[in-house]
Amino acid sequence: MILLPLHFSFDDITQENSDRVNLSQIHLTQSPHIAGRDRDFELVAYLKSKFTEYGLDSVKSTPYQVLLSYPDNENPNTVLIVNNTGGETIVFDSTSTESNISQLEGVIRPFLAYSPSGVVNTSKLVYVNYGRVEDFEFLRTNYNITFNDSIVIVRYGKNFRGSKVEIAARYGALGVIIYSDPADYTWSRDPRYFPETWFLPSSGAQRGSLYTGVGDPLTPGYPSIATAYRYNESSTPTPLPTIPAHAMGYGGAIHFLKEMQGDEVPKDWRGGLNIPYRLGPGLTPGLSLRMKVTTTNSIRRVDNVIATLKGDVEPDRYVLMGNHRDAWVYGSVDPSGGMAVMMEVARAMGQLVKNKRWRPRRSIMFCSWGAEEYGLIGSSEWAEQYVKSLGARAVAYLNIDVAVGGNFSLYALGTPLMYRAVYEATKKHPA
């Protein structure tokens, strides 16, 4: 964006600019705003009003009817450890270790989107490391472990969570527990965690989508407008998950892992919990598991907000700047940090146009996408609807999802045609 015929001096980035970004981020994150729910639509109206206030030439929203997925907060997803000796007693309920954030108004309890609902009862639990094909093959080849009649427990990392569930189903598992292990989400040299540091607390459960495709699962390849043909959920070209799955933090997972029997895992399969990691499939005698998933799918409306600053010389050529709006909970960094920055860029450019000091050569489009967390849905549907115009007229797209994270190093990815632009842009920032 810096290479457009507009030159900002970093000396002009004042405390006032920073305060505006912070205020925007606070508004965006003051309530949970998962896609397809009331707060998300409130943010659509908020963004439309702000982009209009900034003086952009066109502000529109584009609605789509898409398949989304939600848990039942009154009947939450859980995995139980049951003692069957002398009756049936609940030894452990995974909902008891979920973060206190789950009790706050509007917060969706931990779940994995598009997981089928159902109940799985079994006494077999198998630890499968990261849940990759090579992990399943290693267990089958070296330990003769089979996965039929089993729930598998895998840790986040190395591959997409949806792939973990797809692979587990292929090997015959009945259900999947995905947890965040301290070895992957904390630092052994510093035992502290959020809010003292940015490392994941034991109660932190990662919500996320299991869909391995992109866009609305029921309308692949074309926009999910109201009149669109839709596949049945059971026959989508990219299949939806077929076995129940649930996510939890390591504070919950440790209760399952420490009850596992069998051989100890290979050294490079050990996580960061202070327990022996075992392969299973057996549990402590007398114990069994019950996985209950109440997640259901439904068609919901999602909106994109598209605000355009018309170009002066080539108005039919588009430079796009975009970021999603939805979040599993509050979305402070992902996506609202980037959204607040994009709003400030739109405000600054709009102010220059209103003051007749400048107008871009090409049209600049500011895009707030809906339902990204479910699988890039809002942006995919919009691109499918306007594919011919975008193919002929779009010049470049800048995504600004997580604007700030980590240390002070710039981290950027892009197509090769953008490499030089990014490199030259970095020179404009003081060392």
Side-chain angles (χ1 to χ4, degrees):
M1 298 297 290
I2 295 175
L3 295 184
L4 295 173
L6 169 64
H7 300 284
F8 291 111
S9 168
F10 280 89
D11 295 333
D12 295 332
I13 298 180
T14 63
Q15 184 63 45
E16 182 182 358
N17 300 131
S18 178
D19 289 345
R20 271 193 296 261
V21 172
N22 290 337
L23 286 172
S24 294
Q25 187 173 10
I26 289 170
H27 185 89
L28 293 166
T29 61
Q30 66 184 196
S31 299
H33 48 284
I34 194 170
R37 294 282 177 90
D38 289 347
R39 180 57 182 169
D40 186 44
F41 294 119
E42 291 173 6
L43 291 182
V44 168
Y46 170 75
L47 290 173
K48 290 175 71 174
S49 69
K50 297 303 286 186
F51 285 138
T52 301
E53 175 189 320
Y54 297 159
L56 275 66
D57 299 301
S58 171
V59 180
K60 299 178 179 179
S61 59
T62 57
Y64 299 102
Q65 302 293 325
V66 303
L67 187 72
L68 299 184
S69 180
Y70 305 98
D72 182 349
N73 263 19
E74 301 303 317
N75 185 20
N77 298 332
T78 189
V79 187
L80 308 174
I81 299 177
V82 180
N83 189 332
N84 302 292
T85 304
E88 184 178 278
T89 306
I90 304 301
V91 176
F92 176 74
D93 181 341
S94 69
T95 58
S96 66
T97 60
E98 292 168 358
S99 169
N100 290 336
I101 196 174
S102 295
Q103 315 305 321
L104 300 178
E105 183 178 357
V107 171
I108 295 289
R109 285 183 176 271
F111 81 115
L112 296 172
Y114 302 114
S115 168
S117 60
V119 176
V120 177
N121 290 289
T122 183
S123 59
K124 294 182 178 180
L125 180 64
V126 182
Y127 176 76
V128 199
N129 199 23
Y130 291 106
R132 301 166 295 186
V133 170
E134 55 263 43
D135 297 329
F136 279 90
E137 284 296 320
F138 179 84
L139 293 177
R140 188 167 69 170
T141 302
N142 295 284
Y143 293 90
N144 198 31
I145 291 178
T146 60
F147 309 96
N148 296 333
D149 303 322
S150 299
I151 291 174
V152 298
I153 184 167
V154 301
R155 49 179 170 157
Y156 267 110
K158 306 299 184 183
N159 61 348
F160 176 55
R161 72 179 73 83
S163 299
K164 297 176 190 291
V165 176
E166 181 182 18
I167 293 166
R170 194 188 311 162
Y171 279 87
L174 298 179
V176 184
I177 299 170
I178 308 179
Y179 79 100
S180 307
D181 195 280
D184 305 296
Y185 291 94
T186 64
W187 191 29
S188 60
R189 297 182 186 177
D190 188 347
R192 297 174 302 160
Y193 49 78
F194 182 85
E196 293 184 67
T197 70
W198 65 346
F199 298 119
L200 187 71
S202 63
S203 59
Q206 295 188 48
R207 298 149 178 82
S209 175
L210 297 178
Y211 183 52
T212 56
V214 295
D216 175 33
L218 304 186
T219 61
Y222 53 93
S224 53
I225 56 177
T227 57
Y229 168 81
R230 286 172 168 76
Y231 283 86
N232 294 321
E233 290 184 38
S234 60
S235 61
T236 55
T238 300
L240 292 167
T242 58
I243 58 175
H246 186 51
M248 66 179 66
Y250 56 89
I254 191 171
H255 292 272
F256 299 88
L257 294 169
K258 71 181 183 181
E259 299 293 352
M260 295 181 67
Q261 305 292 294
D263 295 319
E264 287 202 30
V265 304
K267 183 177 180 179
D268 59 350
W269 281 33
R270 295 175 193 164
L273 294 168
N274 189 26
I275 58 170
Y277 282 69
R278 298 186 181 277
L279 297 173
L283 295 170
T284 299
L287 299 184
S288 64
L289 303 183
R290 179 176 302 147
M291 170 182 280
K292 181 185 69 174
V293 174
T294 61
T295 301
T296 55
N297 303 334
S298 60
I299 293 178
R300 299 294 184 93
R301 172 177 166 167
V302 298
D303 286 9
N304 301 320
V305 179
I306 312 296
T308 305
L309 202 56
K310 189 175 181 180
D312 188 43
V313 179
E314 298 180 275
D316 60 344
R317 295 291 183 266
Y318 311 136
V319 174
L320 301 97
M321 186 177 192
N323 181 29
H324 70 102
R325 179 185 62 256
D326 64 302
W328 293 119
V329 188
Y330 292 95
S332 181
V333 173
D334 176 7
S336 299
M339 193 72 235
V341 170
M342 188 172 79
M343 290 174 66
E344 178 61 9
V345 172
R347 188 207 62 80
M349 290 185 172
Q351 189 66 46
L352 288 171
V353 171
K354 284 196 289 187
N355 293 342
K356 302 187 185 304
R357 291 176 53 195
W358 168 85
R359 182 169 280 277
R361 175 185 178 91
R362 296 162 173 156
S363 293
I364 300 175
M365 304 178 77
F366 298 95
C367 310
S368 172
W369 308 120
E372 183 268 357
E373 296 287 9
Y374 282 87
L376 308 179
I377 289 181
S379 56
S380 296
E381 301 313 304
W382 189 78
E384 288 169 351
Q385 184 169 10
Y386 299 103
V387 60
K388 290 188 179 296
S389 295
L390 292 170
R393 299 177 180 182
V395 176
Y397 175 71
L398 174 64
N399 196 66
I400 190 169
D401 190 340
V402 179
V404 179
N407 54 29
F408 291 97
S409 301
L410 174 69
Y411 178 74
L413 298 172
T415 59
L417 289 173
M418 296 297 292
Y419 287 0
R420 176 57 57 180
V422 172
Y423 179 72
E424 293 298 329
T426 61
K427 294 180 180 180
K428 297 181 181 291
H429 194 293

